[in-house]
Amino acid sequence: PIILYFYSQNDSLSQKQGLILDDVVRAHNATVFSIEYKYSDDLSYVENYYNVSATPSIVVDYDSVKHGLVPYEEVISLISHKA
């Protein structure tokens, strides 16, 4: 599975989501691309395409978009649903 992870610096929910995704990577061999929200105008098209307007947000396999803190079990469910 591929996960796009939109985060903000110094944001506690983004930090928690990062730790959850670390566990997902270890347990399910997922690939996570971390993208700092509003980092660059060059990446704004990706944020707009997935309607990312807050962090944390994740996109699983370029399809399922979730905003806010997504618990481990829900991330696993999204990955399993795509398998």
Side-chain angles (χ1 to χ4, degrees):
I2 304 292
I3 300 172
L4 305 179
Y5 165 47
F6 296 89
Y7 72 95
S8 294
Q9 293 281 342
N10 303 316
D11 173 55
S12 63
L13 290 180
S14 289
Q15 291 171 354
K16 289 177 185 177
Q17 188 70 72
L19 294 174
I20 291 168
L21 293 175
D22 286 344
D23 290 341
V24 171
V25 167
R26 281 191 286 276
H28 296 277
N29 200 30
T31 300
V32 175
F33 293 96
S34 299
I35 303 166
E36 185 175 353
Y37 180 61
K38 299 278 188 190
Y39 177 76
S40 166
D41 288 341
D42 294 331
L43 294 173
S44 65
Y45 74 94
V46 178
E47 296 165 355
N48 292 334
Y49 183 82
Y50 291 112
N51 198 28
V52 174
S53 59
T55 59
S57 292
I58 64 170
V59 180
V60 176
D61 288 332
Y62 309 106
D63 183 42
S64 299
V65 181
K66 293 290 182 177
H67 304 287
L69 184 64
V70 183
Y72 177 85
E73 295 78 13
E74 188 173 351
V75 176
I76 297 310
S77 174
L78 291 168
I79 289 171
S80 299
H81 179 69
K82 296 292 177 188

